[in-house]
Amino acid sequence: MASLRVGPAAFRRLAFAALTALAAIVVTGGAVRLTSSGLGCPTWPKCTPGSLTAELSFHPMVEFANRVVSAAVGLVVVATVVGALRRTPRRSDLTALSFGLLAGYLGQAVLGGLTVVFHLTPVLVMAHFLLSMLLVLDAFMLWQRAGMPSGRRRALVRGEVLLLARVVSVTAVLVLVLGTVVTGTGPNSGALAVRRLPFDLNSVAQLHSDAVLFLTGVTVALAVVLRMVTAPAGVQRRCRVLLGLIVGQAAVGFAQYFLGLPRVLVGLHILGATLFWLATLSLEAAMHEPVDGSAAGTAETDQPSLPTGRALADARP
């Protein structure tokens, strides 16, 4: 049974693989929608009523390829759960987060099936994307905690600064939600003829733009405050990375709106949204450290120098 044991370093690599896979599936799912292949496989779990695989034509093959990628992601998620159960020493927080990935993945499978059954209704497509963002959050927390000792954490910045950072995080969530509303209202539905949300596209796009402008403002304010209070270098760096991604996303968003939502730019916007969400999570994580770095020391011998305290904050994202 000793050969089935998983050390801390190996488990963290598993967690990183899960994070990478769950972020990548967001982009491949976007490719399905942008090629109008969402109903290339009109049934679920089979591609067609009589076959598990797709016929040799473009839209069915695109949708079937995404299902194969989803199955591969599922294997990574299951491996992560097994790794958490076999990790030495076992940690309840890592086990809980691993099972959270499994529950979210199964939820995605159900949502994906319902999305096909109900012909890509926008509300289900929106839920599919937002659940993906929750899974990325879970996977990021798992990967980050796997490299740190267990136990309580404390803030590396003052309470007022931490509150401003929370405003940034909450606004980031709002921007993601409003982005799905714009997508559900716009023309890139995922199939050739799908009913869209009954909103005026210009109005919801303006609302989304306003939220992005507010997010840009509070992130600039946070960057200035972090510099004024001499926050750890890693925290300041991650804030600048986040600000750069926000500005880049805003530029792509305005370009795609004024150019009539070309699919290439929409796809780039989906990739940017995933990176922007990861940068938001990275900034939030860098603002805390374990209360007692020595708590990790006893059993995690195959990982001699876990990143704790300000060393974690100063690490490059």
mmCIF file with all atom_site columns, all heavy atoms in Angstrom, residues 51-79:
data_model
loop_
_atom_site.group_PDB
_atom_site.id
_atom_site.type_symbol
_atom_site.label_atom_id
_atom_site.label_alt_id
_atom_site.label_comp_id
_atom_site.label_asym_id
_atom_site.label_entity_id
_atom_site.label_seq_id
_atom_site.pdbx_PDB_ins_code
_atom_site.Cartn_x
_atom_site.Cartn_y
_atom_site.Cartn_z
_atom_site.occupancy
_atom_site.B_iso_or_equiv
_atom_site.pdbx_formal_charge
_atom_site.auth_seq_id
_atom_site.auth_comp_id
_atom_site.auth_asym_id
_atom_site.auth_atom_id
_atom_site.pdbx_PDB_model_num
ATOM 1   N N   . SER A 1 51 ? -25.530 6.644  -31.755 1.00 0.00 ? 51 SER A N   1
ATOM 2   C CA  . SER A 1 51 ? -24.072 6.529  -31.717 1.00 0.00 ? 51 SER A CA  1
ATOM 3   C C   . SER A 1 51 ? -23.483 7.417  -30.620 1.00 0.00 ? 51 SER A C   1
ATOM 4   O O   . SER A 1 51 ? -23.921 8.554  -30.417 1.00 0.00 ? 51 SER A O   1
ATOM 5   C CB  . SER A 1 51 ? -23.469 6.928  -33.067 1.00 0.00 ? 51 SER A CB  1
ATOM 6   O OG  . SER A 1 51 ? -22.052 6.919  -33.013 1.00 0.00 ? 51 SER A OG  1
ATOM 7   N N   . LEU A 1 52 ? -22.469 6.871  -29.940 1.00 0.00 ? 52 LEU A N   1
ATOM 8   C CA  . LEU A 1 52 ? -21.762 7.643  -28.929 1.00 0.00 ? 52 LEU A CA  1
ATOM 9   C C   . LEU A 1 52 ? -20.819 8.652  -29.566 1.00 0.00 ? 52 LEU A C   1
ATOM 10  O O   . LEU A 1 52 ? -20.548 9.718  -29.002 1.00 0.00 ? 52 LEU A O   1
ATOM 11  C CB  . LEU A 1 52 ? -20.960 6.694  -28.030 1.00 0.00 ? 52 LEU A CB  1
ATOM 12  C CG  . LEU A 1 52 ? -20.180 7.324  -26.876 1.00 0.00 ? 52 LEU A CG  1
ATOM 13  C CD1 . LEU A 1 52 ? -21.130 7.961  -25.868 1.00 0.00 ? 52 LEU A CD1 1
ATOM 14  C CD2 . LEU A 1 52 ? -19.303 6.279  -26.184 1.00 0.00 ? 52 LEU A CD2 1
ATOM 15  N N   . THR A 1 53 ? -20.313 8.337  -30.763 1.00 0.00 ? 53 THR A N   1
ATOM 16  C CA  . THR A 1 53 ? -19.347 9.193  -31.449 1.00 0.00 ? 53 THR A CA  1
ATOM 17  C C   . THR A 1 53 ? -20.033 10.034 -32.514 1.00 0.00 ? 53 THR A C   1
ATOM 18  O O   . THR A 1 53 ? -21.190 9.803  -32.869 1.00 0.00 ? 53 THR A O   1
ATOM 19  C CB  . THR A 1 53 ? -18.237 8.356  -32.087 1.00 0.00 ? 53 THR A CB  1
ATOM 20  O OG1 . THR A 1 53 ? -18.819 7.437  -33.023 1.00 0.00 ? 53 THR A OG1 1
ATOM 21  C CG2 . THR A 1 53 ? -17.479 7.569  -31.029 1.00 0.00 ? 53 THR A CG2 1
ATOM 22  N N   . ALA A 1 54 ? -19.277 11.015 -33.034 1.00 0.00 ? 54 ALA A N   1
ATOM 23  C CA  . ALA A 1 54 ? -19.836 11.950 -34.007 1.00 0.00 ? 54 ALA A CA  1
ATOM 24  C C   . ALA A 1 54 ? -19.591 11.474 -35.433 1.00 0.00 ? 54 ALA A C   1
ATOM 25  O O   . ALA A 1 54 ? -18.655 10.714 -35.706 1.00 0.00 ? 54 ALA A O   1
ATOM 26  C CB  . ALA A 1 54 ? -19.205 13.324 -33.815 1.00 0.00 ? 54 ALA A CB  1
ATOM 27  N N   . GLU A 1 55 ? -20.442 11.933 -36.326 1.00 0.00 ? 55 GLU A N   1
ATOM 28  C CA  . GLU A 1 55 ? -20.206 11.692 -37.743 1.00 0.00 ? 55 GLU A CA  1
ATOM 29  C C   . GLU A 1 55 ? -19.085 12.601 -38.223 1.00 0.00 ? 55 GLU A C   1
ATOM 30  O O   . GLU A 1 55 ? -18.727 13.585 -37.567 1.00 0.00 ? 55 GLU A O   1
ATOM 31  C CB  . GLU A 1 55 ? -21.483 11.970 -38.540 1.00 0.00 ? 55 GLU A CB  1
ATOM 32  C CG  . GLU A 1 55 ? -21.956 13.409 -38.430 1.00 0.00 ? 55 GLU A CG  1
ATOM 33  C CD  . GLU A 1 55 ? -23.276 13.650 -39.143 1.00 0.00 ? 55 GLU A CD  1
ATOM 34  O OE1 . GLU A 1 55 ? -24.207 12.849 -38.939 1.00 0.00 ? 55 GLU A OE1 1
ATOM 35  O OE2 . GLU A 1 55 ? -23.341 14.647 -39.892 1.00 0.00 ? 55 GLU A OE2 1
ATOM 36  N N   . LEU A 1 56 ? -18.515 12.271 -39.377 1.00 0.00 ? 56 LEU A N   1
ATOM 37  C CA  . LEU A 1 56 ? -17.367 13.014 -39.894 1.00 0.00 ? 56 LEU A CA  1
ATOM 38  C C   . LEU A 1 56 ? -17.808 14.284 -40.615 1.00 0.00 ? 56 LEU A C   1
ATOM 39  O O   . LEU A 1 56 ? -17.713 14.411 -41.837 1.00 0.00 ? 56 LEU A O   1
ATOM 40  C CB  . LEU A 1 56 ? -16.535 12.124 -40.828 1.00 0.00 ? 56 LEU A CB  1
ATOM 41  C CG  . LEU A 1 56 ? -15.826 10.948 -40.155 1.00 0.00 ? 56 LEU A CG  1
ATOM 42  C CD1 . LEU A 1 56 ? -15.095 10.109 -41.190 1.00 0.00 ? 56 LEU A CD1 1
ATOM 43  C CD2 . LEU A 1 56 ? -14.864 11.448 -39.086 1.00 0.00 ? 56 LEU A CD2 1
ATOM 44  N N   . SER A 1 57 ? -18.291 15.259 -39.840 1.00 0.00 ? 57 SER A N   1
ATOM 45  C CA  . SER A 1 57 ? -18.580 16.583 -40.356 1.00 0.00 ? 57 SER A CA  1
ATOM 46  C C   . SER A 1 57 ? -18.210 17.599 -39.285 1.00 0.00 ? 57 SER A C   1
ATOM 47  O O   . SER A 1 57 ? -18.026 17.251 -38.114 1.00 0.00 ? 57 SER A O   1
ATOM 48  C CB  . SER A 1 57 ? -20.054 16.721 -40.762 1.00 0.00 ? 57 SER A CB  1
ATOM 49  O OG  . SER A 1 57 ? -20.904 16.469 -39.663 1.00 0.00 ? 57 SER A OG  1
ATOM 50  N N   . PHE A 1 58 ? -18.097 18.850 -39.683 1.00 0.00 ? 58 PHE A N   1
ATOM 51  C CA  . PHE A 1 58 ? -17.434 19.846 -38.839 1.00 0.00 ? 58 PHE A CA  1
ATOM 52  C C   . PHE A 1 58 ? -18.099 20.034 -37.472 1.00 0.00 ? 58 PHE A C   1
ATOM 53  O O   . PHE A 1 58 ? -17.453 19.839 -36.423 1.00 0.00 ? 58 PHE A O   1
ATOM 54  C CB  . PHE A 1 58 ? -17.369 21.186 -39.577 1.00 0.00 ? 58 PHE A CB  1
ATOM 55  C CG  . PHE A 1 58 ? -16.690 22.263 -38.789 1.00 0.00 ? 58 PHE A CG  1
ATOM 56  C CD1 . PHE A 1 58 ? -15.315 22.263 -38.603 1.00 0.00 ? 58 PHE A CD1 1
ATOM 57  C CD2 . PHE A 1 58 ? -17.443 23.281 -38.202 1.00 0.00 ? 58 PHE A CD2 1
ATOM 58  C CE1 . PHE A 1 58 ? -14.687 23.251 -37.860 1.00 0.00 ? 58 PHE A CE1 1
ATOM 59  C CE2 . PHE A 1 58 ? -16.820 24.272 -37.464 1.00 0.00 ? 58 PHE A CE2 1
ATOM 60  C CZ  . PHE A 1 58 ? -15.436 24.266 -37.290 1.00 0.00 ? 58 PHE A CZ  1
ATOM 61  N N   . HIS A 1 59 ? -19.352 20.443 -37.442 1.00 0.00 ? 59 HIS A N   1
ATOM 62  C CA  . HIS A 1 59 ? -19.998 20.778 -36.166 1.00 0.00 ? 59 HIS A CA  1
ATOM 63  C C   . HIS A 1 59 ? -20.079 19.592 -35.205 1.00 0.00 ? 59 HIS A C   1
ATOM 64  O O   . HIS A 1 59 ? -19.757 19.743 -34.010 1.00 0.00 ? 59 HIS A O   1
ATOM 65  C CB  . HIS A 1 59 ? -21.389 21.367 -36.424 1.00 0.00 ? 59 HIS A CB  1
ATOM 66  C CG  . HIS A 1 59 ? -21.355 22.697 -37.119 1.00 0.00 ? 59 HIS A CG  1
ATOM 67  N ND1 . HIS A 1 59 ? -20.629 23.767 -36.652 1.00 0.00 ? 59 HIS A ND1 1
ATOM 68  C CD2 . HIS A 1 59 ? -21.957 23.119 -38.267 1.00 0.00 ? 59 HIS A CD2 1
ATOM 69  C CE1 . HIS A 1 59 ? -20.783 24.799 -37.481 1.00 0.00 ? 59 HIS A CE1 1
ATOM 70  N NE2 . HIS A 1 59 ? -21.580 24.426 -38.458 1.00 0.00 ? 59 HIS A NE2 1
ATOM 71  N N   . PRO A 1 60 ? -20.491 18.400 -35.678 1.00 0.00 ? 60 PRO A N   1
ATOM 72  C CA  . PRO A 1 60 ? -20.488 17.264 -34.746 1.00 0.00 ? 60 PRO A CA  1
ATOM 73  C C   . PRO A 1 60 ? -19.096 16.946 -34.204 1.00 0.00 ? 60 PRO A C   1
ATOM 74  O O   . PRO A 1 60 ? -18.954 16.627 -33.014 1.00 0.00 ? 60 PRO A O   1
ATOM 75  C CB  . PRO A 1 60 ? -21.040 16.110 -35.601 1.00 0.00 ? 60 PRO A CB  1
ATOM 76  C CG  . PRO A 1 60 ? -21.873 16.771 -36.638 1.00 0.00 ? 60 PRO A CG  1
ATOM 77  C CD  . PRO A 1 60 ? -21.126 18.041 -36.965 1.00 0.00 ? 60 PRO A CD  1
ATOM 78  N N   . MET A 1 61 ? -18.059 17.038 -35.050 1.00 0.00 ? 61 MET A N   1
ATOM 79  C CA  . MET A 1 61 ? -16.712 16.711 -34.588 1.00 0.00 ? 61 MET A CA  1
ATOM 80  C C   . MET A 1 61 ? -16.219 17.726 -33.556 1.00 0.00 ? 61 MET A C   1
ATOM 81  O O   . MET A 1 61 ? -15.532 17.357 -32.590 1.00 0.00 ? 61 MET A O   1
ATOM 82  C CB  . MET A 1 61 ? -15.748 16.655 -35.775 1.00 0.00 ? 61 MET A CB  1
ATOM 83  C CG  . MET A 1 61 ? -15.964 15.443 -36.687 1.00 0.00 ? 61 MET A CG  1
ATOM 84  S SD  . MET A 1 61 ? -15.772 13.858 -35.792 1.00 0.00 ? 61 MET A SD  1
ATOM 85  C CE  . MET A 1 61 ? -14.055 13.918 -35.323 1.00 0.00 ? 61 MET A CE  1
ATOM 86  N N   . VAL A 1 62 ? -16.552 19.006 -33.737 1.00 0.00 ? 62 VAL A N   1
ATOM 87  C CA  . VAL A 1 62 ? -16.137 20.023 -32.768 1.00 0.00 ? 62 VAL A CA  1
ATOM 88  C C   . VAL A 1 62 ? -16.786 19.756 -31.412 1.00 0.00 ? 62 VAL A C   1
ATOM 89  O O   . VAL A 1 62 ? -16.119 19.764 -30.368 1.00 0.00 ? 62 VAL A O   1
ATOM 90  C CB  . VAL A 1 62 ? -16.494 21.438 -33.269 1.00 0.00 ? 62 VAL A CB  1
ATOM 91  C CG1 . VAL A 1 62 ? -16.289 22.477 -32.161 1.00 0.00 ? 62 VAL A CG1 1
ATOM 92  C CG2 . VAL A 1 62 ? -15.656 21.801 -34.483 1.00 0.00 ? 62 VAL A CG2 1
ATOM 93  N N   . GLU A 1 63 ? -18.089 19.509 -31.412 1.00 0.00 ? 63 GLU A N   1
ATOM 94  C CA  . GLU A 1 63 ? -18.790 19.254 -30.150 1.00 0.00 ? 63 GLU A CA  1
ATOM 95  C C   . GLU A 1 63 ? -18.319 17.949 -29.519 1.00 0.00 ? 63 GLU A C   1
ATOM 96  O O   . GLU A 1 63 ? -18.118 17.875 -28.299 1.00 0.00 ? 63 GLU A O   1
ATOM 97  C CB  . GLU A 1 63 ? -20.299 19.212 -30.393 1.00 0.00 ? 63 GLU A CB  1
ATOM 98  C CG  . GLU A 1 63 ? -21.127 18.643 -29.250 1.00 0.00 ? 63 GLU A CG  1
ATOM 99  C CD  . GLU A 1 63 ? -21.011 19.428 -27.943 1.00 0.00 ? 63 GLU A CD  1
ATOM 100 O OE1 . GLU A 1 63 ? -20.405 20.517 -27.935 1.00 0.00 ? 63 GLU A OE1 1
ATOM 101 O OE2 . GLU A 1 63 ? -21.513 18.916 -26.919 1.00 0.00 ? 63 GLU A OE2 1
ATOM 102 N N   . PHE A 1 64 ? -18.098 16.925 -30.333 1.00 0.00 ? 64 PHE A N   1
ATOM 103 C CA  . PHE A 1 64 ? -17.643 15.642 -29.787 1.00 0.00 ? 64 PHE A CA  1
ATOM 104 C C   . PHE A 1 64 ? -16.230 15.772 -29.211 1.00 0.00 ? 64 PHE A C   1
ATOM 105 O O   . PHE A 1 64 ? -15.931 15.197 -28.168 1.00 0.00 ? 64 PHE A O   1
ATOM 106 C CB  . PHE A 1 64 ? -17.674 14.564 -30.871 1.00 0.00 ? 64 PHE A CB  1
ATOM 107 C CG  . PHE A 1 64 ? -17.234 13.212 -30.378 1.00 0.00 ? 64 PHE A CG  1
ATOM 108 C CD1 . PHE A 1 64 ? -18.041 12.483 -29.520 1.00 0.00 ? 64 PHE A CD1 1
ATOM 109 C CD2 . PHE A 1 64 ? -16.011 12.677 -30.763 1.00 0.00 ? 64 PHE A CD2 1
ATOM 110 C CE1 . PHE A 1 64 ? -17.639 11.238 -29.047 1.00 0.00 ? 64 PHE A CE1 1
ATOM 111 C CE2 . PHE A 1 64 ? -15.604 11.435 -30.299 1.00 0.00 ? 64 PHE A CE2 1
ATOM 112 C CZ  . PHE A 1 64 ? -16.422 10.714 -29.432 1.00 0.00 ? 64 PHE A CZ  1
ATOM 113 N N   . ALA A 1 65 ? -15.367 16.532 -29.885 1.00 0.00 ? 65 ALA A N   1
ATOM 114 C CA  . ALA A 1 65 ? -14.013 16.749 -29.369 1.00 0.00 ? 65 ALA A CA  1
ATOM 115 C C   . ALA A 1 65 ? -14.058 17.427 -28.003 1.00 0.00 ? 65 ALA A C   1
ATOM 116 O O   . ALA A 1 65 ? -13.288 17.075 -27.093 1.00 0.00 ? 65 ALA A O   1
ATOM 117 C CB  . ALA A 1 65 ? -13.197 17.586 -30.355 1.00 0.00 ? 65 ALA A CB  1
ATOM 118 N N   . ASN A 1 66 ? -14.969 18.373 -27.844 1.00 0.00 ? 66 ASN A N   1
ATOM 119 C CA  . ASN A 1 66 ? -15.090 19.040 -26.541 1.00 0.00 ? 66 ASN A CA  1
ATOM 120 C C   . ASN A 1 66 ? -15.568 18.063 -25.469 1.00 0.00 ? 66 ASN A C   1
ATOM 121 O O   . ASN A 1 66 ? -15.141 18.141 -24.308 1.00 0.00 ? 66 ASN A O   1
ATOM 122 C CB  . ASN A 1 66 ? -16.054 20.220 -26.642 1.00 0.00 ? 66 ASN A CB  1
ATOM 123 C CG  . ASN A 1 66 ? -16.081 21.052 -25.378 1.00 0.00 ? 66 ASN A CG  1
ATOM 124 O OD1 . ASN A 1 66 ? -15.072 21.618 -24.963 1.00 0.00 ? 66 ASN A OD1 1
ATOM 125 N ND2 . ASN A 1 66 ? -17.242 21.117 -24.740 1.00 0.00 ? 66 ASN A ND2 1
ATOM 126 N N   . ARG A 1 67 ? -16.438 17.127 -25.842 1.00 0.00 ? 67 ARG A N   1
ATOM 127 C CA  . ARG A 1 67 ? -16.885 16.116 -24.879 1.00 0.00 ? 67 ARG A CA  1
ATOM 128 C C   . ARG A 1 67 ? -15.728 15.194 -24.481 1.00 0.00 ? 67 ARG A C   1
ATOM 129 O O   . ARG A 1 67 ? -15.637 14.781 -23.323 1.00 0.00 ? 67 ARG A O   1
ATOM 130 C CB  . ARG A 1 67 ? -18.037 15.305 -25.471 1.00 0.00 ? 67 ARG A CB  1
ATOM 131 C CG  . ARG A 1 67 ? -19.315 16.112 -25.653 1.00 0.00 ? 67 ARG A CG  1
ATOM 132 C CD  . ARG A 1 67 ? -20.475 15.221 -26.043 1.00 0.00 ? 67 ARG A CD  1
ATOM 133 N NE  . ARG A 1 67 ? -21.684 16.003 -26.263 1.00 0.00 ? 67 ARG A NE  1
ATOM 134 C CZ  . ARG A 1 67 ? -22.905 15.480 -26.448 1.00 0.00 ? 67 ARG A CZ  1
ATOM 135 N NH1 . ARG A 1 67 ? -23.050 14.160 -26.416 1.00 0.00 ? 67 ARG A NH1 1
ATOM 136 N NH2 . ARG A 1 67 ? -23.946 16.252 -26.648 1.00 0.00 ? 67 ARG A NH2 1
ATOM 137 N N   . VAL A 1 68 ? -14.865 14.890 -25.435 1.00 0.00 ? 68 VAL A N   1
ATOM 138 C CA  . VAL A 1 68 ? -13.693 14.059 -25.117 1.00 0.00 ? 68 VAL A CA  1
ATOM 139 C C   . VAL A 1 68 ? -12.773 14.808 -24.157 1.00 0.00 ? 68 VAL A C   1
ATOM 140 O O   . VAL A 1 68 ? -12.262 14.235 -23.179 1.00 0.00 ? 68 VAL A O   1
ATOM 141 C CB  . VAL A 1 68 ? -12.940 13.675 -26.407 1.00 0.00 ? 68 VAL A CB  1
ATOM 142 C CG1 . VAL A 1 68 ? -11.620 12.992 -26.068 1.00 0.00 ? 68 VAL A CG1 1
ATOM 143 C CG2 . VAL A 1 68 ? -13.805 12.747 -27.260 1.00 0.00 ? 68 VAL A CG2 1
ATOM 144 N N   . VAL A 1 69 ? -12.560 16.098 -24.417 1.00 0.00 ? 69 VAL A N   1
ATOM 145 C CA  . VAL A 1 69 ? -11.735 16.910 -23.519 1.00 0.00 ? 69 VAL A CA  1
ATOM 146 C C   . VAL A 1 69 ? -12.366 16.949 -22.129 1.00 0.00 ? 69 VAL A C   1
ATOM 147 O O   . VAL A 1 69 ? -11.675 16.843 -21.105 1.00 0.00 ? 69 VAL A O   1
ATOM 148 C CB  . VAL A 1 69 ? -11.557 18.334 -24.088 1.00 0.00 ? 69 VAL A CB  1
ATOM 149 C CG1 . VAL A 1 69 ? -10.871 19.237 -23.071 1.00 0.00 ? 69 VAL A CG1 1
ATOM 150 C CG2 . VAL A 1 69 ? -10.757 18.298 -25.373 1.00 0.00 ? 69 VAL A CG2 1
ATOM 151 N N   . SER A 1 70 ? -13.688 17.088 -22.072 1.00 0.00 ? 70 SER A N   1
ATOM 152 C CA  . SER A 1 70 ? -14.387 17.112 -20.782 1.00 0.00 ? 70 SER A CA  1
ATOM 153 C C   . SER A 1 70 ? -14.185 15.806 -20.021 1.00 0.00 ? 70 SER A C   1
ATOM 154 O O   . SER A 1 70 ? -13.999 15.810 -18.793 1.00 0.00 ? 70 SER A O   1
ATOM 155 C CB  . SER A 1 70 ? -15.882 17.363 -20.990 1.00 0.00 ? 70 SER A CB  1
ATOM 156 O OG  . SER A 1 70 ? -16.115 18.625 -21.586 1.00 0.00 ? 70 SER A OG  1
ATOM 157 N N   . ALA A 1 71 ? -14.207 14.691 -20.745 1.00 0.00 ? 71 ALA A N   1
ATOM 158 C CA  . ALA A 1 71 ? -13.981 13.396 -20.099 1.00 0.00 ? 71 ALA A CA  1
ATOM 159 C C   . ALA A 1 71 ? -12.550 13.322 -19.548 1.00 0.00 ? 71 ALA A C   1
ATOM 160 O O   . ALA A 1 71 ? -12.326 12.809 -18.446 1.00 0.00 ? 71 ALA A O   1
ATOM 161 C CB  . ALA A 1 71 ? -14.226 12.266 -21.090 1.00 0.00 ? 71 ALA A CB  1
ATOM 162 N N   . ALA A 1 72 ? -11.579 13.850 -20.304 1.00 0.00 ? 72 ALA A N   1
ATOM 163 C CA  . ALA A 1 72 ? -10.192 13.859 -19.825 1.00 0.00 ? 72 ALA A CA  1
ATOM 164 C C   . ALA A 1 72 ? -10.055 14.720 -18.570 1.00 0.00 ? 72 ALA A C   1
ATOM 165 O O   . ALA A 1 72 ? -9.341  14.366 -17.626 1.00 0.00 ? 72 ALA A O   1
ATOM 166 C CB  . ALA A 1 72 ? -9.267  14.376 -20.925 1.00 0.00 ? 72 ALA A CB  1
ATOM 167 N N   . VAL A 1 73 ? -10.760 15.851 -18.537 1.00 0.00 ? 73 VAL A N   1
ATOM 168 C CA  . VAL A 1 73 ? -10.758 16.695 -17.348 1.00 0.00 ? 73 VAL A CA  1
ATOM 169 C C   . VAL A 1 73 ? -11.332 15.922 -16.157 1.00 0.00 ? 73 VAL A C   1
ATOM 170 O O   . VAL A 1 73 ? -10.835 16.018 -15.036 1.00 0.00 ? 73 VAL A O   1
ATOM 171 C CB  . VAL A 1 73 ? -11.562 17.988 -17.591 1.00 0.00 ? 73 VAL A CB  1
ATOM 172 C CG1 . VAL A 1 73 ? -11.725 18.786 -16.293 1.00 0.00 ? 73 VAL A CG1 1
ATOM 173 C CG2 . VAL A 1 73 ? -10.869 18.840 -18.648 1.00 0.00 ? 73 VAL A CG2 1
ATOM 174 N N   . GLY A 1 74 ? -12.380 15.133 -16.414 1.00 0.00 ? 74 GLY A N   1
ATOM 175 C CA  . GLY A 1 74 ? -12.964 14.321 -15.354 1.00 0.00 ? 74 GLY A CA  1
ATOM 176 C C   . GLY A 1 74 ? -11.971 13.337 -14.764 1.00 0.00 ? 74 GLY A C   1
ATOM 177 O O   . GLY A 1 74 ? -11.943 13.121 -13.546 1.00 0.00 ? 74 GLY A O   1
ATOM 178 N N   . LEU A 1 75 ? -11.137 12.759 -15.621 1.00 0.00 ? 75 LEU A N   1
ATOM 179 C CA  . LEU A 1 75 ? -10.115 11.829 -15.119 1.00 0.00 ? 75 LEU A CA  1
ATOM 180 C C   . LEU A 1 75 ? -9.108  12.545 -14.225 1.00 0.00 ? 75 LEU A C   1
ATOM 181 O O   . LEU A 1 75 ? -8.680  12.013 -13.193 1.00 0.00 ? 75 LEU A O   1
ATOM 182 C CB  . LEU A 1 75 ? -9.393  11.175 -16.300 1.00 0.00 ? 75 LEU A CB  1
ATOM 183 C CG  . LEU A 1 75 ? -10.231 10.227 -17.162 1.00 0.00 ? 75 LEU A CG  1
ATOM 184 C CD1 . LEU A 1 75 ? -9.404  9.711  -18.343 1.00 0.00 ? 75 LEU A CD1 1
ATOM 185 C CD2 . LEU A 1 75 ? -10.754 9.053  -16.331 1.00 0.00 ? 75 LEU A CD2 1
ATOM 186 N N   . VAL A 1 76 ? -8.750  13.775 -14.601 1.00 0.00 ? 76 VAL A N   1
ATOM 187 C CA  . VAL A 1 76 ? -7.828  14.552 -13.772 1.00 0.00 ? 76 VAL A CA  1
ATOM 188 C C   . VAL A 1 76 ? -8.464  14.873 -12.422 1.00 0.00 ? 76 VAL A C   1
ATOM 189 O O   . VAL A 1 76 ? -7.815  14.794 -11.367 1.00 0.00 ? 76 VAL A O   1
ATOM 190 C CB  . VAL A 1 76 ? -7.405  15.846 -14.496 1.00 0.00 ? 76 VAL A CB  1
ATOM 191 C CG1 . VAL A 1 76 ? -6.529  16.712 -13.588 1.00 0.00 ? 76 VAL A CG1 1
ATOM 192 C CG2 . VAL A 1 76 ? -6.659  15.525 -15.782 1.00 0.00 ? 76 VAL A CG2 1
ATOM 193 N N   . VAL A 1 77 ? -9.744  15.232 -12.440 1.00 0.00 ? 77 VAL A N   1
ATOM 194 C CA  . VAL A 1 77 ? -10.457 15.543 -11.201 1.00 0.00 ? 77 VAL A CA  1
ATOM 195 C C   . VAL A 1 77 ? -10.513 14.317 -10.292 1.00 0.00 ? 77 VAL A C   1
ATOM 196 O O   . VAL A 1 77 ? -10.256 14.394 -9.079  1.00 0.00 ? 77 VAL A O   1
ATOM 197 C CB  . VAL A 1 77 ? -11.872 16.065 -11.507 1.00 0.00 ? 77 VAL A CB  1
ATOM 198 C CG1 . VAL A 1 77 ? -12.720 16.116 -10.233 1.00 0.00 ? 77 VAL A CG1 1
ATOM 199 C CG2 . VAL A 1 77 ? -11.799 17.448 -12.148 1.00 0.00 ? 77 VAL A CG2 1
ATOM 200 N N   . VAL A 1 78 ? -10.848 13.155 -10.867 1.00 0.00 ? 78 VAL A N   1
ATOM 201 C CA  . VAL A 1 78 ? -10.904 11.925 -10.074 1.00 0.00 ? 78 VAL A CA  1
ATOM 202 C C   . VAL A 1 78 ? -9.529  11.607 -9.504  1.00 0.00 ? 78 VAL A C   1
ATOM 203 O O   . VAL A 1 78 ? -9.392  11.210 -8.329  1.00 0.00 ? 78 VAL A O   1
ATOM 204 C CB  . VAL A 1 78 ? -11.429 10.760 -10.929 1.00 0.00 ? 78 VAL A CB  1
ATOM 205 C CG1 . VAL A 1 78 ? -11.264 9.426  -10.198 1.00 0.00 ? 78 VAL A CG1 1
ATOM 206 C CG2 . VAL A 1 78 ? -12.902 10.978 -11.279 1.00 0.00 ? 78 VAL A CG2 1
ATOM 207 N N   . ALA A 1 79 ? -8.477  11.775 -10.305 1.00 0.00 ? 79 ALA A N   1
ATOM 208 C CA  . ALA A 1 79 ? -7.113  11.521 -9.822  1.00 0.00 ? 79 ALA A CA  1
ATOM 209 C C   . ALA A 1 79 ? -6.768  12.451 -8.661  1.00 0.00 ? 79 ALA A C   1
ATOM 210 O O   . ALA A 1 79 ? -6.081  12.048 -7.706  1.00 0.00 ? 79 ALA A O   1
ATOM 211 C CB  . ALA A 1 79 ? -6.112  11.711 -10.962 1.00 0.00 ? 79 ALA A CB  1
#
